[in-house]
Amino acid sequence: MGIIIKTASEIEAMREAGRISAMVLRKAGRLVQPGISTLEIDEFVEAEIRAAGGIPAFKGYAGFPGSICASVNEQVVHGIPSAHVVLKDGDILSIDTGAIVDGWVGDNAWTYPVGNVPPEKKRLLRVTEECMWAGISAARPGNRLGDIGHAVQSLAEREGYGVVREYVGHGIGRAMHEEPNVPNYGHRHTGIVLQPGMVLAIEPMINMGTRKTRPMPDGWLVVTKDGKPSAHFEKTVAITEDGPVVLTEEPDYKRPVD
Ligand code: MG
């Protein structure tokens, strides 16, 4: 199949899927508090995506039952939303979600603190978000794929964290997962040359302890091998002549002053 290069007008069209994906993720984040179940958040997200004119990109994907992946604490990715998973003070929750609009897919994730979170978890969240921005900033024409992975890995490992290898970012467009794979590890100046028109989901998954993971018997959920917490941040990014452009954002959104 190869890497599908998008035209400028196709990238424009992808902004609407990105905007709705970002909007529902932000609103879902406002629900995160002790006592709510991940199924309640999932149902909210599905309703919001549909009300905005989109289709939940995750629901039914390879048989996945939810509109979000909800992964708590040592859960790395792909947690199935459940009425039995009720958030507690001090947890961290990764919400990964996306919308399909006019056939284009948006994909994004954020890890939220639940109530009062201990400092070591706060640091994991802060550093993993920084890893994502470092990866995004390396997504520019003339760089290579390995520059993205290197940017993420060097920052995470400097902080003593483990970089997940088994799950990676990806190209995205009319399909949620397109070529290329976008690893969160790698060497500078290696891999394919990045070109304008590539659209990538950049999504570091960073563990407080070992990088090693373990798949769970439900066939979806992935946890850290040592049981220590893991964080996950993701944005859909277009590579343009002028550098990286985040598509999963809300250009019209004004953050309330608090
Ligand atoms: Mg993704």
Side-chain angles (χ1 to χ4, degrees):
M1 188 75 172
I3 297 170
I4 302 170
I5 299 294
K6 282 81 181 175
T7 65
S9 67
E10 288 173 330
I11 288 171
E12 268 315 297
M14 288 189 74
R15 281 180 183 275
E16 185 61 5
R19 186 185 68 78
I20 291 172
S21 301
M23 184 264 294
V24 298
L25 182 59
R26 173 177 59 78
K27 288 184 172 177
R30 293 205 306 238
L31 298 183
V32 172
Q33 58 178 311
I36 194 168
S37 76
T38 56
L39 184 64
E40 287 172 275
I41 298 172
D42 178 69
E43 288 170 345
F44 170 83
V45 164
E46 178 172 1
E48 285 283 323
I49 291 173
R50 295 196 191 280
I55 298 166
F58 290 22
K59 197 166 179 111
Y61 187 92
F64 189 79
S67 297
I68 64 171
C69 294
S71 309
V72 183
N73 296 331
E74 79 284 1
Q75 300 177 349
V76 180
V77 284
H78 304 162
I80 295 175
S82 166
H84 303 293
V85 178
V86 176
L87 300 179
K88 301 185 308 294
D89 194 56
D91 285 344
I92 55 173
L93 171 69
S94 151
I95 301 176
D96 190 351
T97 191
I100 305 170
V101 179
D102 295 330
W104 296 101
V105 187
D107 187 7
N108 59 177
W110 200 266
T111 304
Y112 297 97
V114 182
N116 294 304
V117 164
E120 66 269 22
K121 279 184 171 172
K122 279 191 189 151
R123 187 169 77 93
L124 177 68
L125 299 187
R126 179 174 52 75
V127 171
T128 307
E129 184 190 346
E130 281 173 15
C131 285
M132 176 189 71
W133 289 115
I136 289 171
S137 136
R140 53 185 71 250
N143 270 3
R144 291 174 179 261
L145 199 59
D147 291 303
I148 296 177
H150 176 80
V152 172
Q153 181 182 14
S154 55
L155 182 48
E157 292 184 349
R158 193 158 68 224
E159 298 287 335
Y161 293 149
V163 176
V164 172
R165 305 288 177 105
E166 297 89 341
Y167 307 90
V168 296
H170 48 93
I172 182 168
R174 291 198 177 273
M176 183 151 66
H177 294 111
E178 295 182 355
E179 289 182 33
N181 281 339
V182 183
N184 294 301
Y185 54 91
H187 297 283
R188 266 192 203 125
H189 314 311
T190 63
I192 58 156
V193 176
L194 302 177
Q195 292 172 39
M198 290 180 180
V199 182
L200 307 176
I202 295 177
E203 51 175 321
M205 289 147 264
I206 305 296
N207 298 345
M208 194 181 284
T210 178
R211 69 173 173 82
K212 297 204 169 133
T213 65
R214 193 155 52 96
M216 295 302 278
D218 70 7
W220 285 105
L221 181 62
V222 175
V223 301
T224 58
K225 213 158 193 176
D226 60 6
K228 290 187 180 172
S230 182
H232 177 207
F233 289 75
E234 176 182 27
K235 289 188 186 292
T236 298
V237 179
I239 297 173
T240 75
E241 299 285 359
D242 302 324
V245 173
V246 174
L247 300 182
T248 43
E249 64 162 17
E250 301 172 90
D252 46 347
Y253 175 67
K254 299 273 186 296
R255 194 184 290 267
V257 182
D258 49 16

